[in-house]
Amino acid sequence: MAELFHRKIERTAIGFVLAIIAAASVGGLVEIAPLFTIDDTVEDVADMRVYTPLELAGRDIYIREGCYACHSQMIRTLADEVDRYGPYSLAVESQYDHPMQWGSKRTGPDLARIGGKYSDVWHAMHMNNPRDVVPQSNMPGYPWLATTPLDISVLPAKLSAQRAVGVPYTDEMIANAARDAQGQATPDSDAAFEAMERYGEKTQVSAFDGITTQVTELDALIAYLQVLGQLTQAAYVDTAAPEAMPDEDPAGAPATQAEQ
Amino acid sequence: MISGLTRDERVQGLGLLAVVGAAGLVLAVAGRWDALGIHGLLIVLCCALLAGYVFFRLGDPEPTEERLSRYYDDPTKVGIALSMAWAIFGMFIGVWVASQLAWPDLTFGQAWSSLGRLRPSHTTGVIFGFGGNALIATSYHVVQRTSRARLAGHVSPWFVLLGFNLFCLLAVTGYSMGITQSKEYAEPEWYADIWLVVVWVTYFVLYLRTLARRKEPHIYVANWYYLAFIVVVAILHIFNNLAVPVSLGSSKSYTIWPGVQDAMVQWWYGHNAVAFFLTAGFLAMMYYYLPKRADRPIFSYRLSILSFWGITFFYMWAGSHHLHYTALPQWVQTLGMTFSIMLLVPSWASAGNALLTLRGAWHKVRDDATLRFMVVAAIFYGLSTFEGSFLAIRPVNSLSHYTDWTVGHVHAGALGWVAFITFGSIYTLVPSLWGRARMYSPALIEVHFWLALAGTLVYVFAMWNSGIIQGLMWRTYTESDTLAYTFVDTLVAMYPYYIARAFGGLLFLLGAIVGSFNIWMTVKRGPVAVEAGRDLPAAAVALTPGE
Amino acid sequence: MAFEYEALTAFSKSWGLFYLLAMALGVLIYTFWPSNKKKFDHAKHAVLRREDEP
């Protein structure tokens, strides 16, 4: 019977193709499909908010420049990573990330909790020329960001597209996207207060690059970097202790093997 | 090249170019000042140039019916040339970005030359440009020989080959303008992705139709690997790249997959791109060109079948080992680890099969650099699949992940395995394709071999060292239980290795340039083969019992 | 929802294993089926024949 079957799948290469698909697709299905029962994959937290239009624009610049090639945004559940970068990353923190930027290589440090670690001024100087603030750095400078105006006219369309892939932006947020971006980079303006009303009290309004007359790409990028790890406080509240290093048992980090 | 096509086929080609050019025009209009518009114009320009070439040769003498009794190798020839051109481009960019890590001012302050934009040009250039063209070119060659049938079409092979190169061109020009999805190894944006689907479906149909014409009762195992490469890459590409464009006039899109699911889909794609692009297709080359060059049948045909199904089945599960200790549910991580370890069995079966094929023929390996390329490839395949399984073990991964160890591992595979088997195959293929007795200069093949081997070893050792050192430094604690090193401390320790790595890459690039020169000279003025009987498909000669 | 997730993973794990075994068995039978041997031997040597002959 087996012979008959195989003679048949070989006679027509189509049968053979189907066999390849059958063999190859099962692994992906088994691993990926269950992840979409989302409640069990992604924690449910109340304070998780979406990116503001300015932060989203900044994220798009992060994507455009290919920052993932050198920076991760995923703190693993290992003691040294938690000590270095902060609480390990939760699934919920990248819930609204399309695409995710977890990365795979740390030529530079992890950025999952970079938000709030440095001042806006530090970031502005660092982006202009990293070696001005970190002499040993090998990161390229991005001086043109400070002089390139941000295209805020495209933001409503961007928010709509984000909503189409599942990010819960409201009609109001979409309609006011450009104004909110302007507002977030212009402290004490009416637009700034409106943006805070829409995106929450904790929305960081700042001059970011230090200049309020024009919203630049640098404003957007700094706004994004400053919100990394700040969209929800869930990770800072009640995460379990990190896993012990596999090869040792550092004092002070109780080895939780509960999940194994 | 045009002389192999009839007037009708030339007109068909013009028609296709008009359609693609019109699509480019639509993009140009829709995109206006967006980078999409520039890409639209680029497409129009490419189509116009090619159409001009065809148009002014419309009246050239047509081939006779006799062509149908021969194999159709023109697309293979062009594919090899394109492959070598992309190799030099991609490896040059690789050396450049490697140098940027040691000397960051090598960006020259330009946006397009910053590391984040150049790095995908390197990966796309070598994986898709060099590797992809070599795969398409050799698959055309192998499927005809092993089926003893001519390619099923004259325009479609060109459509696939040139269309694929248009995709690569859109990709690398896009990165320099900042058009990228920043999904690793799947950076090109939505319109380029759609175009690749069109090209790939044509490739699939062409391949199946050629197989359907075969005069051999059994499909030779190399074709299995090529088929798996074509089919699975299509599946991976489509699912990973599902996205919603910001608008039809915008080059920007957002992937439909969110956060953790995107991570899983991305590495399901990423790891299987390694499996079915960088492994299956190149194993196909190995199963054809290695026996051919060594003039010995493959050690065990049965083993090649078993390892084929093993690889096809196991690889799909392994992607999640890229996500150990992350927010991905742990059972998925564990599955990924388990299957990654099981993967060692079919991988070593393949490598062993290749090496055992040379039983009693090792003197040939000593004398023949071309064969040595393929032997070293098989050895590196064995080594890097072992390393891959090893790195997939969770605790090992805790040290290696995010460090250069991964980069070293990838290059052990990409340089030592993929590039070596490709060069070996091309050196086997080129003389027969252009009717030469041998390559222009066997000595230059030796030079290429040693440059490539030295470059690979320098590169891989540098990255092993830097990766393990940095991984250990990150997790070193002082006696007072604080981290011993800042991140910058660990970066400073990397500089010597970054310089060594750039040097290793430079050696490898030089080898590729020497190889290209040798191929060029072989085509131009290699020693002509004595007429040893022409290379014909089966139908040409008397009737065959196979059917 | 919790049920769905558990059911899905349980299904994945059990049927995945079954599928793996069935698949392996099928491939082994095919590879070692006696009458296939001739075909394989033919294919094995076919690539070495001079390419201008049928």
Side-chain angles (χ1 to χ4, degrees):
Chain A
M1 188 209 81
E3 195 213 2
L4 199 78
F5 172 69
H6 282 292
R7 188 171 284 174
K8 200 157 189 184
I9 69 163
E10 274 208 2
R11 180 82 8 141
T12 55
I14 290 278
F16 186 62
V17 168
L18 291 177
I20 291 176
I21 294 176
S25 56
V26 63
L29 278 174
V30 164
E31 291 187 351
I32 297 171
L35 297 183
F36 286 88
T37 51
I38 198 152
D39 289 4
D40 288 276
T41 308
V42 181
E43 308 81 358
D44 192 17
V45 298
D47 67 339
M48 179 67 189
R49 75 159 169 87
V50 295
Y51 292 110
T52 65
L54 190 66
E55 291 154 7
L56 182 70
R59 188 166 204 278
D60 287 344
I61 292 165
Y62 186 96
I63 289 170
R64 183 184 77 192
E65 300 302 337
C67 305
Y68 75 94
C70 295
H71 293 283
S72 59
Q73 289 188 17
M74 172 48 62
I75 302 167
R76 296 180 293 169
T77 54
L78 297 164
D80 64 310
E81 301 220 346
V82 171
D83 286 343
R84 188 180 300 278
Y85 301 114
Y88 56 78
S89 299
L90 300 177
V92 66
E93 292 177 284
S94 42
Q95 186 182 0
Y96 299 135
D97 289 3
H98 296 264
M100 60 88 201
Q101 291 289 289
W102 292 7
S104 60
K105 176 72 179 74
R106 286 179 186 153
T107 302
D110 187 276
L111 300 181
R113 309 215 176 280
I114 197 73
K117 257 189 195 164
Y118 299 93
S119 67
D120 294 341
V121 177
W122 185 92
H123 277 298
M125 288 172 66
H126 185 249
M127 293 311 300
N128 182 59
N129 179 15
R131 277 158 295 289
D132 286 349
V133 280
V134 185
Q136 308 91 326
S137 169
N138 62 351
M139 179 174 138
Y142 293 83
W144 66 89
L145 293 179
T147 52
T148 311
L150 181 72
D151 179 8
I152 55 174
S153 67
V154 72
L155 285 172
K158 283 190 167 178
L159 263 63
S160 297
Q162 285 271 321
R163 184 160 74 177
V165 295
V167 182
Y169 284 110
T170 63
D171 289 338
E172 197 195 344
M173 287 170 169
I174 291 171
N176 293 291
R179 182 176 162 79
D180 286 347
Q182 187 100 44
Q184 196 183 350
T186 319
D188 301 324
S189 62
D190 290 347
F193 288 110
E194 281 178 38
M196 285 175 79
E197 259 169 45
R198 267 188 280 280
Y199 293 91
E201 283 299 306
K202 288 189 185 140
T203 305
Q204 302 172 57
V205 173
S206 167
F208 297 111
D209 66 357
I211 299 159
T212 50
T213 47
Q214 189 183 37
V215 184
T216 63
E217 295 196 334
L218 187 58
D219 282 314
L221 186 59
I222 297 177
Y224 172 61
L225 292 173
Q226 293 289 32
V227 82
L228 281 174
Q230 303 290 329
L231 288 175
T232 166
Q233 296 302 308
Y236 301 90
V237 185
D238 56 353
T239 43
E243 285 181 56
M245 210 71 66
D247 54 344
E248 57 190 316
D249 191 22
T256 40
Q257 299 296 327
E259 54 180 322
Q260 285 186 347
Chain B
M1 295 298 137
I2 202 82
S3 60
L5 300 174
T6 62
R7 192 186 156 81
D8 280 355
E9 286 155 0
R10 293 171 202 175
V11 172
Q12 273 176 39
L14 282 179
L16 268 176
L17 285 169
V19 172
V20 177
L25 202 58
V26 171
L27 282 190
V29 173
R32 279 184 222 164
W33 303 117
D34 189 87
L36 183 70
I38 298 171
H39 264 163
L41 290 177
L42 183 69
I43 296 171
V44 174
L45 182 73
C46 290
C47 289
L49 284 175
L50 207 56
Y53 173 80
V54 177
F55 183 76
F56 287 108
R57 283 167 184 73
L58 259 187
D60 280 15
E62 291 187 68
T64 60
E65 273 301 300
E66 197 244 336
R67 69 173 179 157
L68 295 180
S69 63
R70 274 177 279 132
Y71 293 125
Y72 190 37
D73 286 332
D74 287 352
T76 305
K77 292 178 178 174
V78 174
I80 288 175
L82 286 167
S83 175
M84 293 308 291
W86 278 106
I88 292 174
F89 169 81
M91 290 172 193
F92 168 74
I93 303 281
V95 174
W96 187 5
V97 286
S99 308
Q100 283 187 359
L101 287 177
W103 301 285
D105 289 334
L106 287 175
T107 60
F108 308 110
Q110 300 298 309
W112 63 269
S113 62
S114 62
L115 193 141
R117 295 196 191 183
L118 281 187
R119 192 259 186 180
S121 289
H122 164 60
T123 53
T124 299
V126 291
I127 297 175
F128 298 112
F130 168 53
N133 275 302
L135 285 169
I136 294 175
T138 57
S139 74
Y140 286 172
H141 180 256
V142 171
V143 73
Q144 295 186 86
R145 269 48 179 204
T146 53
S147 304
R148 301 188 193 279
R150 187 178 166 90
L151 273 183
H154 293 95
V155 181
S156 57
W158 291 110
F159 178 78
V160 172
L161 182 70
L162 300 175
F164 179 73
N165 279 278
L166 177 62
F167 167 79
C168 295
L169 187 66
L170 289 178
V172 296
T173 53
Y175 307 147
S176 70
M177 295 187 286
I179 304 178
T180 167
Q181 300 191 85
S182 276
K183 284 168 80 82
E184 214 166 352
Y185 311 116
E187 288 91 352
E189 269 291 356
W190 61 277
Y191 51 96
D193 289 336
I194 293 174
W195 171 243
L196 186 64
V197 173
V198 175
V199 169
W200 216 251
V201 168
T202 315
Y203 187 20
F204 176 62
V205 172
L206 170 68
Y207 211 83
L208 278 190
R209 287 185 58 223
T210 307
L211 281 177
R213 290 182 172 189
R214 73 185 184 278
K215 306 294 184 301
E216 289 285 336
H218 173 77
I219 304 178
Y220 184 65
V221 72
N223 292 313
W224 301 22
Y225 284 95
Y226 279 124
L227 257 185
F229 147 66
I230 297 170
V231 171
V232 180
V233 165
I235 299 175
L236 298 169
H237 173 77
I238 290 172
F239 279 96
N240 188 41
N241 285 305
L242 290 173
V244 174
V246 166
S247 75
L248 289 178
S250 166
S251 57
K252 173 82 188 152
S253 71
Y254 295 111
T255 180
I256 67 164
W257 313 110
V260 61
Q261 289 91 345
D262 185 40
M264 186 60 229
V265 173
Q266 162 62 33
W267 286 111
W268 166 79
Y269 165 88
H271 196 73
N272 288 302
V274 173
F276 290 91
F277 208 99
L278 295 177
T279 303
F282 292 90
L283 281 172
M285 286 188 201
M286 187 184 85
Y287 279 120
Y288 182 77
Y289 294 105
L290 178 70
K292 201 81 192 158
R293 185 73 189 186
D295 200 24
R296 308 178 71 83
I298 193 78
F299 167 67
S300 164
Y301 195 80
R302 280 176 173 157
L303 195 55
S304 71
I305 295 176
L306 290 176
S307 35
F308 172 81
W309 289 109
I311 285 172
T312 307
F313 186 77
F314 290 158
Y315 250 114
M316 276 294 173
W317 301 71
S320 52
H321 69 223
H322 290 256
L323 300 166
H324 280 324
Y325 301 97
T326 67
L328 184 77
Q330 185 156 0
W331 66 269
V332 188
Q333 300 178 25
T334 311
L335 263 184
M337 173 170 95
T338 314
F339 276 87
S340 303
I341 294 167
M342 288 169 26
L343 202 46
L344 190 59
V345 177
S347 301
W348 272 28
S350 306
N353 209 350
L355 294 177
L356 286 169
T357 299
L358 297 162
R359 276 170 320 155
W362 285 94
H363 59 283
K364 291 188 185 174
V365 178
R366 189 191 58 208
D367 301 335
D368 179 6
T370 302
L371 192 56
R372 219 179 307 132
F373 261 110
M374 294 196 252
V375 171
V376 170
I379 293 171
F380 265 103
Y381 179 63
L383 286 178
S384 50
T385 48
F386 172 77
E387 190 184 23
S389 297
F390 182 62
L391 293 178
I393 300 170
R394 264 181 121 235
V396 180
N397 196 268
S398 77
L399 176 71
S400 71
H401 193 53
Y402 294 134
T403 74
D404 285 321
W405 194 352
T406 313
V407 182
H409 166 59
V410 170
H411 283 82
L415 303 176
W417 155 239
V418 172
F420 267 71
I421 194 73
T422 304
F423 291 137
S425 301
I426 287 181
Y427 284 138
T428 306
L429 178 55
V430 163
S432 85
L433 216 46
W434 272 277
R436 307 296 181 207
R438 55 169 172 78
M439 288 296 293
Y440 168 73
S441 164
L444 285 180
I445 304 182
E446 285 287 346
V447 172
H448 182 187
F449 174 81
W450 290 110
L451 279 173
L453 186 61
T456 307
L457 291 177
V458 169
Y459 192 113
V460 172
F461 275 100
M463 292 293 93
W464 278 342
N465 275 302
S466 67
I468 294 171
I469 289 173
Q470 195 171 31
L472 289 174
M473 284 177 89
W474 284 342
R475 58 164 63 174
T476 303
Y477 281 83
T478 60
E479 286 186 359
S480 53
D481 218 20
T482 56
L483 292 168
Y485 302 101
T486 65
F487 191 90
V488 169
D489 290 339
T490 72
L491 170 66
V492 170
M494 295 300 104
Y495 276 102
Y497 302 106
Y498 286 158
I499 294 171
R501 180 252 291 268
F503 177 67
L506 179 67
L507 291 182
F508 204 88
L509 168 66
L510 289 176
I513 293 172
V514 169
S516 301
F517 172 75
N518 203 358
I519 292 168
W520 174 258
M521 294 306 283
T522 307
V523 174
K524 283 287 147 200
R525 58 169 99 134
V528 177
V530 221
E531 188 65 40
R534 284 212 320 277
D535 190 11
L536 298 173
V541 202
L543 240 267
T544 89
E547 278 295 80
Chain C
M1 218 43 173
F3 169 71
E4 240 179 75
Y5 180 78
E6 266 157 38
L8 261 173
T9 47
F11 180 82
S12 290
K13 288 167 193 171
S14 55
W15 282 91
L17 183 66
F18 174 75
Y19 195 94
L20 168 71
L21 294 176
M23 175 94 204
L25 199 65
V27 172
L28 280 169
I29 291 176
Y30 170 65
T31 318
F32 290 98
W33 200 261
S35 62
N36 279 345
K37 185 171 170 21
K38 219 180 85 192
K39 193 165 62 180
F40 294 158
D41 282 343
H42 173 80
K44 180 171 162 173
H45 292 97
V47 290
L48 295 179
R49 286 184 301 174
R50 281 227 329 249
E51 288 172 337
D52 56 331
E53 286 168 8

